[in-house]
Amino acid sequence: MMTRKVLGTTAIVALLLGTTNGIATAAPVYGSAGAGDAYYPEDGNGGYQVDDYDISIDYDPASHQLKGVAKISATTTQALKGFNLDLLGFTVDSVRVDSRDASHRRESAHELVVRPAGSLRKGQKFTVEVAYHGVPDPAGAWFLRPSGGAYAVGERQAASSWFPVNETPRDKATFTLRATVPAGWSVLSNGVRENVLNTAGKTTYTWRERTPITGYLTTIAIDRFTLLTQRRSNGMPLVSAFAPGTEGNIPVEKRLPEILDFEESLFGAYPIDTGGGVYEFGPFTGALEAQGRSVYIIAQGSGTVANARNLVHENAHQWWGDSVSLWNWSDLCLKECVAAYTEDLWSAQKEGLDLDRNYRETVSKNLTNPTFWSAKLHDGGPDSEMANAVYYRGPLFMHALRRQVGDRAFFAALKAFPQAHRDSNATLQQFIASMECYSAQDLSAFTRAWLDSTTIPADRYLWPGNLKP
Ligand SMILES: [Zn+2]
C-alpha cells in the first residue's frame, strides 16, 4: 500500500510539472479561491498579491446605481492560468488582463473567476481591469442612508461590497479612489484627499492611501458632510466628517490630536499617512477602525455621542489591526485585547482610574461566575471568536500580563511590536514571544491559563505581581 501510494503521488507531481531547459517549472494553475485562513478559508484568494488598487466609481444617490472601473496591479506568487477576485453582486461588463480581454465567470456569492488570454508566470507583474455596474447588494457592507447617502464599512468583508478585491488581511496594497457624485454631495475615504474636480453638475473626489491597506479596512462614505480639519503637532492633517445630525461628536473628535499623541507614546510612531474619523447614523451603534479614518456609527434617534474611550479604541487599531494586521482571525485578541486595554490606560492617565483596583474588583465579582470565563480569548472558533470576551476579559488579560512581566518589559514590547511588524501581518503567538523576549520569562503556562482556557485562571496566573488582594 505504502509503495503504491508513493508511486501514485510521484505520478501526479510529474503531470503537474513541465520542464524548461531541463529545469522543472510548475505548470500554470488556477489560484485558489481562498487565502487560507483556518476559520474562513474562502476569504480572499491565492496565487497573487495585489500591489495597488485604482478604483473609479460613479454613484447616483437617487437610484443607488454604482458604475465602477477597478484597475488592480498585482504580482503572481505562482504560475497562473486563472485567478479569483472577490466581488459581491453587480454585473461585470468586462475584464481585461494586461489590456487584453479575459474570460470571466461568477462562482458562489462573491467570487469572480478570471482567465487571462495567456498564462502568467510566477513572479509576473500584471494588471487586471474590471468594469462593473449595478446596485450594491443589500446583504453586503454597503449601507444606505434615508438622505440618499451611503457608506461601506464591515469586518471581515467590506470592500467586496463595492469593488473587486482580494479580500483577506493577508493581502495589503496601496489604494486610490476616484468617486464621482452629483454636485452637493461629498465623499470621504481612506488616506489623503488629493483632488476635487467639478464638471457638469458632478464632483469627483480623489482619495489616496499610500500606507498598504487590506480590504475590510477600506471605507467610503457619501453624504452632505460637515468637515473638521485639524493638525497634529508634526503637521499631519487630520480630516474628519460628520453626516447631518452627528455634529454633536465634533467636540470629542477635537481630542484626536491628543489621543494620537498619547497612543504614540505607547506604541511608537503613528504608522498611517493620515488620520481622522467619519460619523454616520445607522441601524445600530458601533465603530470600525477603517484605516486612518475610523468610522463611528450612531444609532438613529439614540442621541448617543461617541466618547474619548471610543476614539482611543479605534485609533489604537491603527497600530494594532491596521498597520499590523492579523494573519489569522483566530488571533482576534491580538488587536482587540490591546485596543480594549488602551482605553483603560487612557482612563488611568487622563482620569486617574486605578487599574489594579479595577482589576481586583472585576475579578472578585466574577470569581464564582463561570460564564465570565467560558469563552476562549484565543482560537474561540469561527463565528464565535468575535464574542465579547476579547472586550470584557481582554483588558484583564493584558493587565495580568503587565503585572506578570513588569512595566518595563510590558511597555517596551508594546512599543517595539508594532514597529517590528509595521505594514505587515502578525500572530498572537509572536506577540507573546515578544513579551517573553523583553521579560526573559517563559509565559507558556500563563498564556495557556488566560488565552486557551474556558475556566478561571489558577491563582498564580490570576494574581501575578502585586495584584493579590
Ligand atoms: Zn476593536
Side-chain angles (χ1 to χ4, degrees), residues 69-98:
V69 176
K71 288 183 194 165
I72 301 167
S73 305
T75 306
T76 61
T77 55
Q78 62 186 117
L80 291 178
K81 65 178 175 188
F83 57 88
N84 283 24
L85 290 165
D86 301 310
L87 180 67
L88 178 70
F90 295 107
T91 299
V92 173
D93 302 310
S94 66
V95 179
R96 292 164 72 81
V97 174
D98 290 337

mmCIF file of all heavy atoms in Angstrom, residues 69-98:
data_model
loop_
_atom_site.group_PDB
_atom_site.id
_atom_site.type_symbol
_atom_site.label_atom_id
_atom_site.label_comp_id
_atom_site.label_asym_id
_atom_site.label_seq_id
_atom_site.Cartn_x
_atom_site.Cartn_y
_atom_site.Cartn_z
ATOM 1 N N VAL A 69 -14.928 51.137 -12.377
ATOM 2 C CA VAL A 69 -13.806 50.516 -13.084
ATOM 3 C C VAL A 69 -12.689 50.329 -12.066
ATOM 4 O O VAL A 69 -12.231 51.298 -11.460
ATOM 5 C CB VAL A 69 -13.305 51.379 -14.260
ATOM 6 C CG1 VAL A 69 -12.080 50.724 -14.905
ATOM 7 C CG2 VAL A 69 -14.402 51.580 -15.293
ATOM 8 N N ALA A 70 -12.289 49.083 -11.858
ATOM 9 C CA ALA A 70 -11.221 48.781 -10.908
ATOM 10 C C ALA A 70 -9.984 48.360 -11.680
ATOM 11 O O ALA A 70 -10.039 47.428 -12.484
ATOM 12 C CB ALA A 70 -11.664 47.653 -9.977
ATOM 13 N N LYS A 71 -8.883 49.106 -11.476
ATOM 14 C CA LYS A 71 -7.603 48.706 -12.076
ATOM 15 C C LYS A 71 -6.728 48.186 -10.945
ATOM 16 O O LYS A 71 -6.363 48.935 -10.036
ATOM 17 C CB LYS A 71 -6.914 49.896 -12.739
ATOM 18 C CG LYS A 71 -7.582 50.345 -14.014
ATOM 19 C CD LYS A 71 -6.791 51.481 -14.651
ATOM 20 C CE LYS A 71 -7.645 52.139 -15.725
ATOM 21 N NZ LYS A 71 -7.127 53.439 -16.141
ATOM 22 N N ILE A 72 -6.421 46.915 -11.015
ATOM 23 C CA ILE A 72 -5.687 46.267 -9.931
ATOM 24 C C ILE A 72 -4.328 45.828 -10.460
ATOM 25 O O ILE A 72 -4.251 45.095 -11.448
ATOM 26 C CB ILE A 72 -6.482 45.049 -9.405
ATOM 27 C CG1 ILE A 72 -7.860 45.517 -8.901
ATOM 28 C CG2 ILE A 72 -5.710 44.322 -8.316
ATOM 29 C CD1 ILE A 72 -8.838 44.387 -8.649
ATOM 30 N N SER A 73 -3.263 46.317 -9.825
ATOM 31 C CA SER A 73 -1.908 45.882 -10.186
ATOM 32 C C SER A 73 -1.481 44.835 -9.176
ATOM 33 O O SER A 73 -1.611 45.044 -7.969
ATOM 34 C CB SER A 73 -0.933 47.060 -10.132
ATOM 35 O OG SER A 73 -1.409 48.102 -10.949
ATOM 36 N N ALA A 74 -0.976 43.715 -9.669
ATOM 37 C CA ALA A 74 -0.667 42.602 -8.772
ATOM 38 C C ALA A 74 0.565 41.858 -9.257
ATOM 39 O O ALA A 74 1.059 42.101 -10.364
ATOM 40 C CB ALA A 74 -1.856 41.651 -8.696
ATOM 41 N N THR A 75 1.061 40.961 -8.415
ATOM 42 C CA THR A 75 2.205 40.113 -8.756
ATOM 43 C C THR A 75 1.837 38.671 -8.433
ATOM 44 O O THR A 75 1.339 38.398 -7.332
ATOM 45 C CB THR A 75 3.444 40.525 -7.930
ATOM 46 O OG1 THR A 75 3.676 41.922 -8.113
ATOM 47 C CG2 THR A 75 4.677 39.747 -8.365
ATOM 48 N N THR A 76 2.069 37.782 -9.373
ATOM 49 C CA THR A 76 1.734 36.381 -9.112
ATOM 50 C C THR A 76 2.721 35.781 -8.108
ATOM 51 O O THR A 76 3.893 36.161 -8.056
ATOM 52 C CB THR A 76 1.790 35.532 -10.396
ATOM 53 O OG1 THR A 76 3.126 35.585 -10.896
ATOM 54 C CG2 THR A 76 0.830 36.042 -11.453
ATOM 55 N N THR A 77 2.226 34.835 -7.314
ATOM 56 C CA THR A 77 3.105 34.088 -6.402
ATOM 57 C C THR A 77 3.292 32.659 -6.908
ATOM 58 O O THR A 77 3.983 31.865 -6.297
ATOM 59 C CB THR A 77 2.510 34.046 -4.980
ATOM 60 O OG1 THR A 77 1.182 33.513 -5.060
ATOM 61 C CG2 THR A 77 2.452 35.437 -4.374
ATOM 62 N N GLN A 78 2.620 32.340 -8.026
ATOM 63 C CA GLN A 78 2.794 31.047 -8.680
ATOM 64 C C GLN A 78 2.368 31.230 -10.135
ATOM 65 O O GLN A 78 1.714 32.228 -10.466
ATOM 66 C CB GLN A 78 1.939 29.971 -7.999
ATOM 67 C CG GLN A 78 0.446 30.249 -8.065
ATOM 68 C CD GLN A 78 -0.393 29.264 -7.260
ATOM 69 O OE1 GLN A 78 -1.059 29.631 -6.310
ATOM 70 N NE2 GLN A 78 -0.360 28.007 -7.656
ATOM 71 N N ALA A 79 2.751 30.305 -11.000
ATOM 72 C CA ALA A 79 2.308 30.387 -12.392
ATOM 73 C C ALA A 79 0.798 30.180 -12.432
ATOM 74 O O ALA A 79 0.279 29.259 -11.813
ATOM 75 C CB ALA A 79 3.018 29.326 -13.222
ATOM 76 N N LEU A 80 0.095 31.080 -13.141
ATOM 77 C CA LEU A 80 -1.372 31.061 -13.101
ATOM 78 C C LEU A 80 -1.958 30.983 -14.498
ATOM 79 O O LEU A 80 -1.529 31.696 -15.402
ATOM 80 C CB LEU A 80 -1.899 32.340 -12.436
ATOM 81 C CG LEU A 80 -1.664 32.534 -10.940
ATOM 82 C CD1 LEU A 80 -2.213 33.889 -10.501
ATOM 83 C CD2 LEU A 80 -2.320 31.413 -10.136
ATOM 84 N N LYS A 81 -2.980 30.142 -14.644
ATOM 85 C CA LYS A 81 -3.790 30.254 -15.858
ATOM 86 C C LYS A 81 -5.097 30.975 -15.554
ATOM 87 O O LYS A 81 -5.837 31.337 -16.465
ATOM 88 C CB LYS A 81 -4.029 28.889 -16.490
ATOM 89 C CG LYS A 81 -4.847 27.914 -15.685
ATOM 90 C CD LYS A 81 -5.024 26.636 -16.509
ATOM 91 C CE LYS A 81 -5.740 25.557 -15.705
ATOM 92 N NZ LYS A 81 -5.739 24.275 -16.411
ATOM 93 N N GLY A 82 -5.358 31.199 -14.272
ATOM 94 C CA GLY A 82 -6.541 31.950 -13.874
ATOM 95 C C GLY A 82 -6.472 32.283 -12.400
ATOM 96 O O GLY A 82 -5.622 31.755 -11.682
ATOM 97 N N PHE A 83 -7.345 33.187 -11.969
ATOM 98 C CA PHE A 83 -7.340 33.584 -10.558
ATOM 99 C C PHE A 83 -8.701 34.164 -10.202
ATOM 100 O O PHE A 83 -9.509 34.477 -11.082
ATOM 101 C CB PHE A 83 -6.232 34.614 -10.295
ATOM 102 C CG PHE A 83 -6.337 35.845 -11.158
ATOM 103 C CD1 PHE A 83 -7.091 36.934 -10.760
ATOM 104 C CD2 PHE A 83 -5.683 35.890 -12.395
ATOM 105 C CE1 PHE A 83 -7.200 38.055 -11.565
ATOM 106 C CE2 PHE A 83 -5.791 37.011 -13.209
ATOM 107 C CZ PHE A 83 -6.549 38.094 -12.797
ATOM 108 N N ASN A 84 -8.941 34.310 -8.905
ATOM 109 C CA ASN A 84 -10.215 34.847 -8.428
ATOM 110 C C ASN A 84 -10.045 36.244 -7.852
ATOM 111 O O ASN A 84 -8.995 36.580 -7.303
ATOM 112 C CB ASN A 84 -10.781 33.966 -7.305
ATOM 113 C CG ASN A 84 -11.401 32.690 -7.831
ATOM 114 O OD1 ASN A 84 -11.050 32.227 -8.908
ATOM 115 N ND2 ASN A 84 -12.314 32.137 -7.071
ATOM 116 N N LEU A 85 -11.111 37.027 -7.966
ATOM 117 C CA LEU A 85 -11.260 38.258 -7.192
ATOM 118 C C LEU A 85 -12.544 38.108 -6.386
ATOM 119 O O LEU A 85 -13.398 37.289 -6.726
ATOM 120 C CB LEU A 85 -11.367 39.470 -8.125
ATOM 121 C CG LEU A 85 -10.097 39.855 -8.888
ATOM 122 C CD1 LEU A 85 -10.435 40.806 -10.025
ATOM 123 C CD2 LEU A 85 -9.086 40.499 -7.940
ATOM 124 N N ASP A 86 -12.689 38.899 -5.329
ATOM 125 C CA ASP A 86 -13.915 38.872 -4.535
ATOM 126 C C ASP A 86 -14.780 40.069 -4.919
ATOM 127 O O ASP A 86 -14.310 41.210 -4.895
ATOM 128 C CB ASP A 86 -13.578 38.930 -3.038
ATOM 129 C CG ASP A 86 -12.694 37.760 -2.623
ATOM 130 O OD1 ASP A 86 -13.053 36.618 -2.954
ATOM 131 O OD2 ASP A 86 -11.645 37.997 -2.003
ATOM 132 N N LEU A 87 -16.023 39.792 -5.269
ATOM 133 C CA LEU A 87 -16.972 40.861 -5.597
ATOM 134 C C LEU A 87 -18.371 40.342 -5.321
ATOM 135 O O LEU A 87 -18.767 39.298 -5.841
ATOM 136 C CB LEU A 87 -16.840 41.273 -7.075
ATOM 137 C CG LEU A 87 -17.785 42.393 -7.534
ATOM 138 C CD1 LEU A 87 -17.444 43.719 -6.853
ATOM 139 C CD2 LEU A 87 -17.736 42.569 -9.057
ATOM 140 N N LEU A 88 -19.104 41.076 -4.491
ATOM 141 C CA LEU A 88 -20.463 40.663 -4.134
ATOM 142 C C LEU A 88 -21.453 41.372 -5.051
ATOM 143 O O LEU A 88 -21.529 42.604 -5.050
ATOM 144 C CB LEU A 88 -20.739 41.027 -2.669
ATOM 145 C CG LEU A 88 -22.145 40.715 -2.147
ATOM 146 C CD1 LEU A 88 -22.360 39.211 -2.026
ATOM 147 C CD2 LEU A 88 -22.377 41.390 -0.798
ATOM 148 N N GLY A 89 -22.225 40.603 -5.812
ATOM 149 C CA GLY A 89 -23.243 41.197 -6.675
ATOM 150 C C GLY A 89 -22.640 41.938 -7.854
ATOM 151 O O GLY A 89 -21.509 41.684 -8.266
ATOM 152 N N PHE A 90 -23.380 42.873 -8.420
ATOM 153 C CA PHE A 90 -23.012 43.683 -9.590
ATOM 154 C C PHE A 90 -23.004 42.842 -10.878
ATOM 155 O O PHE A 90 -22.844 41.625 -10.850
ATOM 156 C CB PHE A 90 -21.633 44.364 -9.441
ATOM 157 C CG PHE A 90 -21.582 45.391 -8.350
ATOM 158 C CD1 PHE A 90 -20.904 45.136 -7.168
ATOM 159 C CD2 PHE A 90 -22.227 46.612 -8.499
ATOM 160 C CE1 PHE A 90 -20.863 46.079 -6.153
ATOM 161 C CE2 PHE A 90 -22.184 47.561 -7.486
ATOM 162 C CZ PHE A 90 -21.504 47.296 -6.311
ATOM 163 N N THR A 91 -23.175 43.535 -11.987
ATOM 164 C CA THR A 91 -22.993 42.935 -13.305
ATOM 165 C C THR A 91 -21.585 43.282 -13.756
ATOM 166 O O THR A 91 -21.210 44.459 -13.750
ATOM 167 C CB THR A 91 -24.011 43.523 -14.311
ATOM 168 O OG1 THR A 91 -25.323 43.225 -13.834
ATOM 169 C CG2 THR A 91 -23.817 42.942 -15.698
ATOM 170 N N VAL A 92 -20.816 42.282 -14.109
ATOM 171 C CA VAL A 92 -19.463 42.537 -14.606
ATOM 172 C C VAL A 92 -19.545 42.724 -16.117
ATOM 173 O O VAL A 92 -20.007 41.848 -16.845
ATOM 174 C CB VAL A 92 -18.515 41.377 -14.237
ATOM 175 C CG1 VAL A 92 -17.155 41.555 -14.903
ATOM 176 C CG2 VAL A 92 -18.356 41.312 -12.723
ATOM 177 N N ASP A 93 -19.121 43.903 -16.585
ATOM 178 C CA ASP A 93 -19.248 44.230 -18.011
ATOM 179 C C ASP A 93 -18.053 43.742 -18.811
ATOM 180 O O ASP A 93 -18.203 43.298 -19.941
ATOM 181 C CB ASP A 93 -19.401 45.747 -18.179
ATOM 182 C CG ASP A 93 -20.607 46.262 -17.403
ATOM 183 O OD1 ASP A 93 -21.696 45.680 -17.564
ATOM 184 O OD2 ASP A 93 -20.450 47.214 -16.620
ATOM 185 N N SER A 94 -16.871 43.853 -18.241
ATOM 186 C CA SER A 94 -15.686 43.387 -18.970
ATOM 187 C C SER A 94 -14.541 43.170 -17.993
ATOM 188 O O SER A 94 -14.492 43.792 -16.927
ATOM 189 C CB SER A 94 -15.261 44.408 -20.035
ATOM 190 O OG SER A 94 -14.814 45.591 -19.410
ATOM 191 N N VAL A 95 -13.646 42.272 -18.366
ATOM 192 C CA VAL A 95 -12.418 42.061 -17.596
ATOM 193 C C VAL A 95 -11.268 42.026 -18.590
ATOM 194 O O VAL A 95 -11.343 41.342 -19.619
ATOM 195 C CB VAL A 95 -12.461 40.733 -16.806
ATOM 196 C CG1 VAL A 95 -11.158 40.534 -16.036
ATOM 197 C CG2 VAL A 95 -13.650 40.702 -15.848
ATOM 198 N N ARG A 96 -10.236 42.800 -18.319
ATOM 199 C CA ARG A 96 -9.045 42.795 -19.169
ATOM 200 C C ARG A 96 -7.832 42.539 -18.293
ATOM 201 O O ARG A 96 -7.730 43.078 -17.193
ATOM 202 C CB ARG A 96 -8.896 44.142 -19.892
ATOM 203 C CG ARG A 96 -9.990 44.382 -20.934
ATOM 204 C CD ARG A 96 -10.064 45.844 -21.358
ATOM 205 N NE ARG A 96 -8.927 46.253 -22.187
ATOM 206 C CZ ARG A 96 -8.824 46.013 -23.486
ATOM 207 N NH1 ARG A 96 -9.765 45.340 -24.113
ATOM 208 N NH2 ARG A 96 -7.778 46.429 -24.160
ATOM 209 N N VAL A 97 -6.944 41.694 -18.778
ATOM 210 C CA VAL A 97 -5.690 41.439 -18.067
ATOM 211 C C VAL A 97 -4.559 41.912 -18.974
ATOM 212 O O VAL A 97 -4.475 41.484 -20.133
ATOM 213 C CB VAL A 97 -5.522 39.948 -17.718
ATOM 214 C CG1 VAL A 97 -4.141 39.687 -17.113
ATOM 215 C CG2 VAL A 97 -6.616 39.508 -16.746
ATOM 216 N N ASP A 98 -3.739 42.809 -18.466
ATOM 217 C CA ASP A 98 -2.672 43.430 -19.263
ATOM 218 C C ASP A 98 -3.223 43.933 -20.599
ATOM 219 O O ASP A 98 -2.662 43.670 -21.676
ATOM 220 C CB ASP A 98 -1.506 42.448 -19.472
ATOM 221 C CG ASP A 98 -0.747 42.213 -18.172
ATOM 222 O OD1 ASP A 98 -0.821 43.077 -17.273
ATOM 223 O OD2 ASP A 98 -0.099 41.162 -18.043
#
